[in-house]
Amino acid sequence: MSDNLDTAARRYWAANLRTVAICLVIWFAVSYGAGILFADALNNFRLAGFPLGFWFSQQGSIVIFLILIVYYAWRMNKLDREFDVDEQ
Amino acid sequence: MDLKTLTYIVVGLSFALYIGIAIWTRASSTGEFYVAGKGVNPIANGMATGADWMSAASFISMAGLISFLGYDGSVYLMGWTGGYVLLAMLLAPYLRKYGKFTVPEFIGDRYYSQTARVVAVICLIFISFTYVAGQMRGVGIVFSRFLEVEILTGLLVGMGIVFIYAVLGGMKGITYTQVAQYCVLIAAYIIPAVFISLQLTGNPVPPLAFGDTLRGEDTYLLDRLNQVISDLGFTQFTDGNKSVIDIFAITAALMVGTAGLPHVIVRFFTVPRVRDARASAGWALFFIALLYLCAPAVGAMARYNLTDTIQSGPVGAPDGNLVYDERPGWFQRWEQTGLLKFQDKNGDGRIQYYNEARFPAEQAQQYGWAGNELTVDNDIMVLANPEIARLPNWVIALVAAGGIAAALSTAAGLLLVISSAVSHDLMKSTFAKGISEKQELMAGRISAAVAIVIAGYMGYNPPGFVAQVVAFAFGLAASSLFPAILMGIFSKRINREGAIVGMLLGLGFTFAYILYFKFINPTANVADNWWFGISPEGIGFIGMILNFVAAFIISRLTAAPPQRIQDLVDFIRSPRGAAAAIAHH
């Protein structure tokens, strides 16, 4: 493997790790953060009929999990093409 | 047509569908038997994963649990869905790229060690059997309640159906049967939920109705529910009893456990390309979310309906409680199953249902109440819900078919990973290396058949522990398999010694902690005695941390993995060539 390719592979992996890290920070913030650690504080606010912390723990986090996976899949497919490692 | 005939017809039709699919998708090679020839469309795979993953517990028990736990039930909602984020981003694409058949195979290859592989097989078999016994029990319960047959007969029928499509069709048969089962179970879940939402709030979309106002009033459903149950001494629905640290640990153990469950991971081996594995994880969570977003709504509405039926008037009014002799038909039918029990403690012929531990004693005395008179099992909430809400009989029949579909699909997925671990990891690769593909396929079929018989026996004669050990399956998956796979992908430095010690330590610690509090000294199972206030349900989280730390330290102290393993990790990290990897087989 030439140095060039090696650097490209390393840059691809770094971009991948960055994407995953961003997604996991959000994943942690909505579930463990809003749904658990700060749920009581958020329950002072209301979203329609829901106390906000309760909503995050029972519904909101699930919706955001789904959005995260969709974003990740889209973003990784794009990275695969940019770094020319996609499957033909 | 009466309910029983209708139920027989609906359940019979669903069985005919599964068997038809099984015959149409017979497996003819080990590749088809283990991973459906890696040709499954990602949307179909997402549905199959949904059915595979959503067990009798998700379908029958979860909404009931949430119904009584309220906010504390969030651990299941977040825990069982959040794991898919980990799966999608940390495991699925890489395991698909690696392109082999089983989870232990990956662990054995990555850690260049048959010992690691056998340790992984042991974890896998323990996790899977624990889980499958519960599924078979679920099959028995649904049969005995809806089709009014003996539990044994119900189990034998269920085993027969699973036998046909798991043994004949292998992963290929299971995948397409699970797609059909997903459709049955989601319809069976959502239709009653829509009806009940309409009745209570006028909003037909259950996840939205959950936060809506009651029909014809401007009070929110949740506010009314909170008030109704707290008047009777229960904890408010939107509040919990568990400590924050315990909620945190249980959610983490369930999330990581979900990502480490072998029958779920192996579903991502069946799609053609790496990008399909990513997409498929998204579809899986989408199909799962359809049920999981409805579940808390169903739980809340069922709780409200139940309380409102029993406590028909103001609390404490002489005629405020339901007269036992005027109880509705669903009440009588569920009494027969023993899941609903009434005992007239004060002899007034009316049903008092309240939390005697927290209800003011002098007030109860003043009302002439002599204690709570109703025992409700969590499991009836989903199954009895259509009857409580007086829905048409065909909806009730559909729920029966859905419950059976949920239990059978999960049982089949688990049996398949057990059989492939035995035939592929233990026989073909460890103890009987010389066997041909045909013999391996036969071994896979035989071990699936044997596993079904064991599972059936455990379903009929549940070893006392089955009900208590759901924590086991998740805790063990979280503390053993997940860290080993994750580190195998994201670190080139973790070596054989680190991985084996990590798995054994995580497994051993989690096992010992649960064993102690659940079996050896159950009376000590209270928050004061728990380490860091973490219950046995959440201890897999600590086991996982121990696994990571031990693996890291031991790997630093011993030699780095050989160059070929580091190249293997590089190979896994780049998507190109996943389709070609199939050609090796």
Side-chain angles (χ1 to χ4, degrees), chain B residues 24 52 88 104 122 155 259 278 294 297 313 357 407 425 454 456 487 543 546 555:
Chain B
W24 172 55
D52 200 356
I122 294 168
L155 269 175
R278 294 176 192 139
C294 290
D425 292 306
I454 300 176
M487 291 183 291
L546 288 177
S555 297

Side-chain angles (χ1 to χ4, degrees), chain B residues 497-522:
Chain B
E497 290 79 5
I500 294 175
V501 173
M503 274 195 284
L504 290 176
L505 181 69
L507 186 76
F509 168 77
T510 309
F511 188 86
Y513 193 88
I514 299 178
L515 197 69
Y516 179 77
F517 282 116
K518 289 284 189 180
F519 304 108
I520 297 176
N521 196 357

Side-chain angles (χ1 to χ4, degrees), chain B residues 158 185 251 354 530 565:
Chain B
L185 84 85
T251 305
Y354 65 105
W530 296 338
I565 297 300

Side-chain angles (χ1 to χ4, degrees), chain B residues 125-141 151-152 155-156 159 414-415 418 450-467 469 472-473:
Chain B
I125 288 182
F126 199 94
I127 295 165
S128 304
F129 266 120
T130 306
Y131 218 104
V132 85
Q135 303 308 313
M136 296 315 276
R137 192 78 194 145
V139 173
I141 288 178
I151 287 208
L152 180 62
L155 269 175
L156 288 174
M159 284 162 66
L414 290 160
L415 292 166
I418 296 172
V450 172
I452 291 175
V453 174
I454 300 176
Y457 177 80
M458 287 169 78
Y460 183 60
N461 242 336
F465 62 85
V466 166
V469 290
F472 256 142

Side-chain angles (χ1 to χ4, degrees), chain B residues 429-442:
Chain B
S429 310
T430 311
F431 298 115
K433 289 187 178 162
I435 57 175
S436 68
E437 180 175 327
K438 222 175 149 196
Q439 285 169 315
E440 190 189 343
L441 189 59
M442 184 47 71

Side-chain angles (χ1 to χ4, degrees), chain B residues 478-552:
Chain B
S479 61
S480 61
L481 296 179
F482 177 82
I485 303 172
L486 182 74
M487 291 183 291
I489 297 163
F490 285 85
S491 162
K492 289 186 186 174
R493 188 62 186 80
I494 300 294
N495 62 14
R496 173 174 61 195
E497 290 79 5
I500 294 175
V501 173
M503 274 195 284
L504 290 176
L505 181 69
L507 186 76
F509 168 77
T510 309
F511 188 86
Y513 193 88
I514 299 178
L515 197 69
Y516 179 77
F517 282 116
K518 289 284 189 180
F519 304 108
I520 297 176
N521 196 357
T523 47
N525 192 10
V526 289
D528 289 343
N529 295 328
W530 296 338
W531 289 9
F532 316 110
I534 295 174
S535 62
E537 283 73 21
I539 203 65
F541 173 60
I542 304 292
M544 174 195 82
I545 294 173
L546 288 177
N547 184 337
F548 276 124
V549 172
F552 182 79

